[in-house]
Amino acid sequence: MTEIIEQPPDGIERIALKTFSEKAYLDYSMYVILDRALPNIGDGLKPVQRRIVYAMSELGLSAAAKFKKSARTVGDVLGKFHPHGDTACYEAMVLMAQEFSYRYPLIDGQGNWGSPDDPKSFAAMRYTESRLTAYARVLLAELGQGTVDWVANFDGTLDEPAILPARLPNVLLNGGTGIAVGMATDIPPHNLVEVASACVCLLENPKATLEELCEYVPGPDFPTQAEIITPREDLVKIYRNGTGSVRLRACFEREQGDIVVIALPYQVSGARVLEQMAQQMRTKKLPMVEDLRDESDHENPTRLVIVLRSKRVDVQRLMSHLFATTDLERTYRVNLNIIGLNGRPQVKNLRDLLKEWLIFRTETVRRRLQFNLDRILARLHILDGLMIAYLNIDEVIAIIRYEDDPKAELMRRFGLTDEQAEAVLNLKLRHLAKLEEIKIRAEQEELSHEKDWLQKTLSSKQRLKTLVRKEIQSDAETYGDDRRSPIVARPVAEALGETDLTPSEPVTVVLSEKGWARTARGHDIDPGGLSYRAGDGFLGSACVRSNQSVVFLDSTGRSYSMLAHSLPSARGQGEPLTGRLNPPKGATFTALLGGDPESFCLMASDAGYGFVVRLKALYAKNKAGKVVLSLPQGARVLSPAPISDLGGDRIVAVSNEGRMLVFPVSELPELSRGKGNKIIGISPKRVQAREEFLVAISSVPEGGKLTIFSGKRHLSLRPSDLDAYQGERGRRGNKLPRGFQKVDRVIRG
């Protein structure tokens, strides 16, 4: 690859386009990563945030100062340290002032700084005023004490701190988000007291495990009071890997029959949530909700009222649906990607992050102590010179009066250094009083004690560690507060299905011989008395609730299902099922079932095979249905028989030759599909030839009766009568009385 071509005579350097583009993109990427998007582990700030806080401190905008126009701060930041757009700078400033965005705001704002419903609704910077909060002292208190390095600003006329000497791990306390080139960061905020306790634990026990630290930091702590419902083991996994996600769920309470939402997840708009619920109401997906109101005000920042239509509404089920379908529950990414002490971005786990920050903090404290020690030593050096001058005051005055070069003479005569001689020459006459000597001795004594303490602390790692621990604990007492986001174990939110959203009322579904279906209100109708199309008639009916599914069976053994309320009204003649379903060519609908999805029924073919199945196992998700009953060659589907009790019911099977067999239903297996087991002994060849087959099956409850119809005659069998036909499953059964051997149908009860 050609990198650089020799410079031609014109002096213009020529570089291969590939080489130039690679270098330019790499330089841009590193700039975005290090100087714009990712926070530093030391103070937890991005460059623009750091420059805003520093510029405000330089303007004297402490927590006790008067407010100043935000435009003044933005102007100083842009003009001195951050030559970028004023809009972006002001938005960064607004973010640090919003209590609903920052867990521990750095800026105290006066005026319109946005609202939780619309964080971008803040007023222009010419209207708002600002100053630093008390918490900002955590970042600035040690700035002028030799604790950090200073770098030149963009034009080299001023110096700015490369990092702020944070006394607490602000990178975790306020968190932050950012998108760089090829990487991003999503650090959630945490509770100050909890993080400080974890730091103290790690200081006292450097071998503390991540699990031990998670006892102090159980999870993030957002500015809002919404619940963190992520399981504890998942939170520990997040802190172990440095990545993952956290789920927040709104809090609600009951008030006079209404639901009142009192806390929303982080950065969720109440107006947006109400809009989402209103949209569901318009599409009739919230029939149990009558009205929505937003009663939020200054005293109650979040108060969303959901008015229910009835007191019988299952509130927990409704809220679970809203959690699953609206912003009342949200997931937040966690990616602890931070610029470390080595100047490189890296995803860190909780233990490594705190350990590295403690290294930064310990070094910051050491630099502060060394700075103070150097200052004290310099002052003691000056005081020693002043004391020599006071002890020889007359001679010093004479030297100053009569010598041509008094400074050199003082240095020669008394052995003073240049700094000491300069200090003596700068003395004012008023300081030559006897009282000044006492003051100097007192100051020397005080500074000597402080010097001894500093030297002992700097020479002992344990003393230094103890000092760091005490300062962290002191700041935690000053600025700490209670946790806002409770960590609670909650079940997973589930959206209501179409069945749950439909009003429940009794209906009767009617199926005709030609496969036309309709729904009539109530269970007291006469399905056979309804009007049918010419050549059509009644086939079957099912009494269900309007929000339940009904199952249709066809002649091939396939099942289909649809909601009862979706069928047309019985005022007309219904509509053909083939318009909604796709049965195989030539198949006809033979039966329908409905009721409790957990109820059982007997599926059988007239070849004498069958099995027990739950009704919900017959539900089909698509129009083509699903194969439930496998038919032997030449066999046909029989109408299913409902089962009341798997332990007490008896199966009654009747063949076309007038044979009847009775056996316990428990002898048949429960399947979801298949051929089933043999019910009554019939030869497969005779079934294929249609010489012998089952004509009817039924399930009779314990103590129940059975009525057999043969033409215009019928025979009622009591439990004792049925005992005469009891036998082993698979037998041929006993013959019915003469005159009842050609059975048309059987009815239990």
Side-chain angles (χ1 to χ4, degrees), residues 34 52-54 57-58 90 125 129-130 211 219 256 302 335 405 413 430 496 581 590 616 653 658:
L34 300 177
I52 290 171
V53 172
Y54 175 64
S57 70
E58 287 294 285
Y90 182 51
M125 58 184 170
E129 297 179 336
S130 58
E211 287 70 18
Q256 298 179 354
T302 300
N335 183 18
D405 188 359
R413 174 69 181 81
R430 70 175 64 178
L496 293 172
L581 306 175
T590 60
K616 67 179 182 181

Side-chain angles (χ1 to χ4, degrees), residues 229-250:
I229 61 170
T230 305
R232 172 172 169 75
E233 56 270 20
D234 290 349
L235 292 173
V236 174
K237 186 177 179 181
I238 290 172
Y239 288 130
R240 180 180 296 111
N241 299 331
T243 58
S245 60
V246 176
R247 293 190 71 82
L248 260 69
R249 179 178 290 183

Side-chain angles (χ1 to χ4, degrees), residues 393-410 425:
I393 189 65
D394 294 334
E395 191 174 352
V396 169
I397 293 174
I399 291 173
I400 294 174
R401 287 189 63 186
Y402 300 111
E403 292 293 333
D404 294 334
D405 188 359
K407 182 176 181 181
E409 183 61 24
L410 287 173
L425 292 173

Side-chain angles (χ1 to χ4, degrees), residues 197-206 208 213 351 354-355 358:
S197 299
C199 290
V200 171
C201 171
L202 200 55
L203 274 173
E204 295 177 342
N205 180 18
L213 295 177
R351 187 179 185 279
L354 292 177
K355 186 177 180 180
L358 285 172

Side-chain angles (χ1 to χ4, degrees), residues 202-204 206 358-359 361-363 365-366 369 453-470:
L202 200 55
L203 274 173
E204 295 177 342
L358 285 172
I359 293 174
R361 179 58 191 160
T362 303
E363 177 61 19
V365 173
R366 190 197 64 76
L369 297 181
W453 180 83
L454 288 171
Q455 289 175 335
K456 287 180 181 179
T457 305
L458 285 169
S459 61
S460 170
K461 290 184 178 180
Q462 186 59 43
R463 284 176 177 268
L464 189 61
K465 184 186 296 186
T466 302
L467 176 61
V468 172
R469 174 177 59 81
K470 288 182 178 179

Side-chain angles (χ1 to χ4, degrees), residues 591-653:
L592 82 160
L593 296 165
D596 183 2
E598 297 294 333
S599 61
F600 294 92
C601 65
L602 173 64
M603 294 288 295
S605 64
D606 64 1
Y609 290 87
F611 58 90
V612 176
V613 63
R614 287 181 189 267
L615 182 61
K616 67 179 182 181
L618 304 179
Y619 293 164
K621 295 181 179 180
N622 50 53
K623 294 182 178 181
K626 64 179 182 181
V627 177
V628 175
L629 183 64
S630 300
L631 296 175
Q633 190 172 359
R636 299 174 183 173
V637 178
L638 291 177
S639 294
I643 296 174
S644 304
D645 181 12
L646 289 178
D649 281 16
R650 291 191 288 180
I651 298 298
V652 177

Side-chain angles (χ1 to χ4, degrees), residues 653-660 680 682 692-695 741 743:
V654 182
S655 70
N656 64 327
E657 291 191 345
R659 291 183 175 276
M660 187 169 77
I680 192 169
I682 300 177
E692 186 178 5
F693 48 86
L694 276 182
V695 294
Q741 294 179 0
V743 177

